[in-house]
Amino acid sequence: MKVIKRLPESELEIMQIIWKETAPVSRLLIEERLQQEHPLAPTTILTLLTRLCEKSFLEMKKEGRTNYYYPVITEKEYLASESRSFLDRLFQGSVANFAVALNDGGVKKEELEELRQLLEKGEI
């Protein structure tokens, strides 16, 4: 698995918008989606998009006066990397230790059953 850096919340929020949309995604569409949740100045959004390009999460192509963004890292790749990092940091890389913590942490019986079924099916 390739090493993917963890994103700060503001950059992750932009990536989540881009992952939900069909590429390419315009800066204007990203601004519109952000205004619904966390209004940010257009210059701030542009700075965050520039950082994501520098970190190789996005590629930008300019068409006329509009910037379009394409994800380089998929949501699935990012989630896999974050999950592994989480397990390594908090549970010494052990899924078993994580499962014990879930069980001790008040996870509902139905959720544990759902997890067991997914494991049996080989879906995770």
Side-chain angles (χ1 to χ4, degrees), residues 1-2 4 72-82:
M1 180 187 324
K2 64 182 172 181
I4 299 173
V72 175
I73 304 290
T74 66
E75 184 176 24
K76 185 176 180 178
E77 290 171 322
Y78 185 75
L79 291 175
S81 176
E82 277 295 289

Side-chain angles (χ1 to χ4, degrees), residues 93-108:
S94 170
V95 174
N97 288 346
F98 176 60
V100 168
L102 283 176
N103 194 39
D104 292 345
V107 173
K108 296 175 186 169

Side-chain angles (χ1 to χ4, degrees), residues 6-87:
R6 186 165 194 258
L7 293 174
E9 285 298 315
S10 55
E11 292 174 13
L12 179 57
E13 187 174 10
I14 287 176
M15 286 305 300
Q16 288 171 328
I17 291 168
I18 291 170
W19 287 324
K20 285 180 186 172
E21 301 294 333
T22 303
V25 181
S26 70
R27 182 192 52 78
L28 186 58
L29 180 66
I30 295 165
E31 275 185 40
E32 288 172 4
R33 297 292 185 267
L34 280 172
Q35 297 310 329
Q36 297 169 2
E37 299 292 322
H38 300 93
L40 294 173
T43 53
T44 303
I45 295 169
L46 188 57
T47 299
L48 294 170
L49 288 165
T50 300
R51 286 184 194 158
L52 286 164
C53 288
E54 289 169 353
K55 293 177 180 180
S56 298
F57 274 80
L58 295 175
E59 284 184 358
M60 189 272 295
K61 293 191 178 159
K62 191 170 189 81
E63 291 182 26
R65 295 177 54 179
T66 305
N67 292 345
Y68 290 97
Y69 296 89
Y70 299 80
V72 175
I73 304 290
T74 66
E75 184 176 24
K76 185 176 180 178
E77 290 171 322
Y78 185 75
L79 291 175
S81 176
E82 277 295 289
S83 297
R84 175 48 52 194
S85 175
F86 175 77
L87 282 174

